Amino acid sequence: MTDDGNIWMAPGETPAPSTLIDIVFPGDTNHHGTLFGGAGLALMDRIAFIVATRHGRVPFVTASCDRVDFRAPARIGQIVSFSGRPMKVGRRSMVVEVDMIAEDLIEGTSDLCTRGQFTMVAMPEGKEGSWSLPSLASAAIGPPKDDAVRMVDIVFPDQANSFGAMFGGDALSQMTKAAFVVATRASRKTTVLASCQSIDFKHRITVGSIIEIVARIVRTGRSSTTVEVELWSEDLMGGEPTLTARGVFIMVAVDRDNRPVPAFAA
């Protein structure tokens, strides 16, 4: 339970579409300052894989992507959200629809950049014969039960040490990104990290795990806000989420000269 009386909920307790959130940096853009189409498609495919794996809990491969319409560009500095939801489930394949939405940090406006459908095929090991994917009715989809920012991703080998565990710095980077997103959305100002407190790592995160970051504001001042962030991890095939890390991040709204400015309702 948080200081304001609200209760944290584990990822599995919130029947919302899975969402991957990132920020457009110059290294991912063309000479016009817009996100490469290939980079966007790669992230769309990643969230489709996460959605399919969470539904079937077996390995999946991408068979095809269809109806991919590029409607608007995502520009440097914008937040991009990739939300996936299962649309159709067959015996060993499923269709996941993915939206890519670009959000202006300061204005708060959002544009649907791309929408596409990804056909994912299950590759179960040792599950021959009559085995089939769970029905679509078993995939709970609906609005979140709280106002937290929730973002998912997968841990890759370049984020892990020689023992196959995720670097603490990479975990902190993901948690800080979530704190930045929730603070910026609340203030519509440029926000910077002032401090991080009480960072507790409770379990190791292995390569291939799905991680979900849950961040929400618990306290605001005149120029600063306190964001509590939880990092949950789950085995790609197992599915049981584990609270892996928790931290408190103080975010401060600043002007162009990096001076604190009023931004939050205390």
Side-chain angles (χ1 to χ4, degrees):
M1 179 176 292
T2 61
D3 292 344
D4 58 3
N6 290 302
I7 299 174
W8 284 102
M9 288 172 289
E13 297 173 1
T14 301
S18 294
T19 301
L20 188 156
I21 299 177
D22 210 341
I23 300 168
V24 181
F25 292 108
D28 295 319
T29 62
N30 57 29
H31 58 290
H32 298 296
T34 61
L35 183 69
F36 283 119
L41 280 172
L43 291 170
M44 292 174 74
D45 180 64
R46 188 187 300 185
I47 196 64
F49 173 79
I50 292 173
V51 170
T53 302
R54 276 184 155 177
H55 180 78
R57 295 301 177 185
V58 294
F60 277 87
V61 295
T62 305
S64 67
C65 53
D66 306 288
R67 303 177 184 178
V68 180
D69 301 317
F70 291 90
R71 308 181 184 189
R75 304 185 183 279
I76 291 176
Q78 290 185 318
I79 296 172
V80 281
S81 301
F82 301 83
S83 295
R85 54 205 164 272
M87 301 299 291
K88 181 180 179 181
V89 176
R91 183 168 174 265
R92 299 208 173 192
S93 67
M94 64 185 296
V95 176
V96 180
E97 186 172 76
V98 179
D99 287 346
M100 182 178 84
I101 296 174
E103 178 183 348
D104 187 275
L105 287 170
I106 306 303
E107 299 296 329
T109 56
S110 299
D111 291 308
L112 175 62
C113 297
T114 310
R115 173 174 288 162
Q117 293 188 349
F118 292 73
T119 300
M120 313 298 294
V121 175
M123 304 292 288
E125 299 176 358
K127 295 183 179 181
E128 303 301 329
S130 60
W131 181 88
S132 63
L133 289 168
S135 66
L136 187 59
S138 65
I141 305 174
K145 296 179 181 177
D146 60 8
D147 58 357
V149 166
R150 296 170 181 267
M151 44 191 278
V152 300
D153 210 336
I154 301 173
V155 179
F156 291 103
D158 63 351
Q159 297 174 292
N161 59 27
S162 57
F163 299 103
M166 186 180 189
F167 286 120
D170 282 271
L172 281 172
S173 175
Q174 293 277 10
M175 295 171 75
T176 303
K177 184 194 298 183
F180 169 80
V181 171
V182 73
T184 302
R185 283 178 173 173
S187 66
R188 292 305 171 191
K189 302 284 186 182
T190 300
T191 59
V192 295
L193 177 64
S195 69
C196 52
Q197 305 169 355
S198 305
I199 307 297
D200 298 316
F201 292 94
K202 303 176 183 296
H203 300 280
R204 69 197 295 263
I205 307 173
T206 57
V207 171
S209 296
I210 295 174
I211 58 173
E212 181 160 352
I213 314 293
V214 184
R216 69 188 300 274
I217 290 174
V218 295
R219 194 176 302 109
T220 57
R222 183 171 177 267
S223 301
S224 65
T225 185
T226 301
V227 183
E228 284 189 357
V229 182
E230 290 187 345
L231 187 154
W232 295 77
S233 62
E234 58 187 85
D235 179 76
L236 203 60
M237 301 295 107
E240 190 66 30
T242 301
L243 177 58
T244 305
R246 174 183 281 139
V248 176
F249 297 77
I250 310 299
M251 308 296 296
V252 176
V254 297
D255 60 16
R256 292 183 179 181
D257 296 321
N258 208 39
R259 295 176 299 190
V261 294
F264 302 97

